Amino acid sequence: MAGKARPVAEHYGGLVRPALKEARPTGLHTRQFVAATRLIPSKVARGVEHLRDVGAAEHLTPIIWRRRDGYMFSDEPADWIEYEKKQFRIILGRLTRVITETLDPHLARHPEDEWARLAVAQLIGVRATLNQLAKA
């Protein structure tokens, strides 16, 4: 009986992890990953996503991304916090646009709409929390 095939993302992660470990303490940009693994950029991204999922489940060193370094493993909590704050800022920007570009016009046309009022009230609280986390 033939062995069970590994899921595709796991396979990509298996190619991405050694390349990333070899690059330590520096990181790899996508084009460097492509050269090191011979994967196309979308498969590199799937491999990184898989490693992030596995890393979180197994409490391993997280993968971060910085413009100057690319993807990297870092053992420094300050690096993780910097990356996390950046992620919160991205989410905050998206959430703010949902409020100002979608919900506010909705409420301008239908100010009594209970659902839109509830959504805005809840999301304003989330926005305040994300704002604090991005600055902390």
Side-chain angles (χ1 to χ4, degrees), residues 71-109:
Y71 294 99
M72 63 186 295
F73 287 120
S74 174
D75 292 321
E76 295 298 322
D79 292 340
W80 307 340
I81 292 169
E82 176 188 335
Y83 178 75
E84 291 157 356
K85 285 181 179 183
K86 185 177 189 179
Q87 296 305 303
F88 288 135
R89 283 191 295 272
I90 290 168
I91 295 166
L92 177 61
R94 289 180 181 162
L95 178 62
T96 298
R97 283 190 300 279
V98 167
I99 294 168
T100 61
E101 296 172 6
T102 305
L103 290 167
D104 285 350
H106 180 158
L107 282 173
R109 291 190 63 148

Side-chain angles (χ1 to χ4, degrees), residues 6-20 28-51:
R6 292 188 298 170
V8 173
E10 182 180 337
H11 173 70
Y12 299 149
L15 296 172
V16 167
R17 176 179 258 155
L20 201 51
L28 292 174
H29 290 279
T30 300
R31 64 179 157 64
Q32 295 168 313
F33 261 130
V34 168
T37 62
R38 298 188 178 158
L39 295 172
I40 62 174
S42 63
K43 291 179 180 177
V44 167
R46 286 175 69 184
V48 169
E49 287 174 11
H50 174 75
L51 289 180

